[in-house]
Amino acid sequence: MPSARRLRRAAAVTAVALGLAATATTGTSTATAPALDYVNLGDSFSSGSGILPLAEGSNPLCTRAADNFAHAIAADQGYALTDVSCGGAQTSNFTKSQFPGVAPQLDALSASTDLVTMTIGGNDNNTFISAVLACGSVGLLTLGHGSPCADLYGDTFADAVRTGTYANVTRALKQVKEKAPNARVAISGYPWILPASGGCFPAMPVARGDVPYLRDLQATLNDVIERAADATGATYVDQSAASEGRDACAPSGTRWIEPAFGGTNYVPVHPNALGERGMADRITATLGLG
C-alpha cells in the first residue's frame, strides 16, 4: 500500500501537470492573429491634404493628415497601416519619387500586403486640376455669368481624361497587382466637388453655366477610374451617391469638400475630416469589412 508521502508527491506532480496544461490551453485560446497588413497609396484625396494635424512622422510635403480615410479604416478594423499617400501624386509616382526623400509609393507593397486603397488619376497630366483652375479663372473674369470655360475648352479636358488618364490608371493598377499579388485592391472614385447645377459663386468661383460642365468632367474621370478597376480586377468604390448634396457648395457640417474661399481646410477644394470619414465608410461598406 503506498505511503502517505508517496501519495502527496503524486498529487503534487499531477497538480503541476494540470496547471501547465491549463496555461497552455489558455495561451492558445487568447492568442490573437497578426494584424492585417494595410497599405494606402494615392493623391491628396487619399492623403487628406488640408486637414490638420498631419500624420505623425509623415513628410510635410505630402500634406498627409492623421484623419484621412485610411487612418479611419485602420482604427476601425485594427489593421496595421502603412500610409504612403501624398498630395499632388500622379500615377507616375507609384514608380518614381515625387519629392526628395519620398520613395516611390509601390515600394510599400509586397507579397504580404493584404489590402490596398487609394484615390489616383485626378492629377495625371494635370488635366482635372487644370480644368478646375481654368474654369475658376474665367469664372472670376465673367463674375460668375455664362459658360466661359465650356465655350473656351469644349471637349479638350474630357478627351484627355478618356485617353491618357484611363491608360495611366489601368497601368498603375496592374503594377499594384504585380507588387501585391495577394492583396485586395480598392480604388475610390472622387466625391462630388460641385452640385449638378447652380453652384455657389464666389465661394466656388465657377460661372453658373460651367458648373454642369465641370460636374460632367468629374463624372468622366470617375467613369474611367471605374473602367480601369474593372479591367484589372480591382474593386471600384463609388462615392457619387454618398457625396451627393455634400459638395463644396453645401453648408458647413454637411459638405465633404471645402470651397475655394471661406472654407476650413488649408488646402481648398479638398475633403474635410467629415468627407474623409464618409469616404472611409463607403470603402468599408463596399469591401464588406463590417
Side-chain angles (χ1 to χ4, degrees), residues 35-104:
L36 183 144
D37 186 356
Y38 171 28
V39 178
N40 186 50
L41 312 173
D43 56 26
S44 55
F45 276 59
S46 197
S47 70
S49 294
I51 303 169
L52 292 174
L54 296 180
E56 185 176 354
S58 64
N59 189 315
L61 293 174
C62 286
T63 59
R64 186 183 308 134
D67 291 331
N68 65 16
F69 68 68
H71 280 80
I73 292 170
D76 289 348
Q77 305 296 325
Y79 295 162
L81 173 64
T82 300
D83 189 357
V84 294
S85 59
C86 193
Q90 300 185 14
T91 54
S92 62
N93 298 124
F94 278 14
T95 56
K96 297 178 182 178
S97 175
Q98 185 175 348
F99 299 115
V102 175

Side-chain angles (χ1 to χ4, degrees), residues 135-212:
C135 291
S137 298
V138 295
L140 286 170
L141 291 175
T142 65
L143 299 178
H145 298 292
S147 54
C149 198
D151 296 342
L152 185 61
Y153 295 102
D155 293 333
T156 302
F157 296 125
D159 288 345
V161 168
R162 291 189 188 99
T163 54
T165 303
Y166 172 74
N168 291 348
V169 174
T170 301
R171 180 173 58 252
L173 289 173
K174 288 179 179 178
Q175 292 168 337
V176 170
K177 289 282 191 178
E178 291 170 359
K179 288 280 289 185
N182 302 309
R184 297 184 71 184
V185 178
I187 181 168
S188 174
Y190 294 91
W192 292 121
I193 293 173
L194 287 167
S197 61
C200 52
F201 188 92
M204 287 294 289
V206 177
R208 189 177 184 87
D210 282 331
V211 170

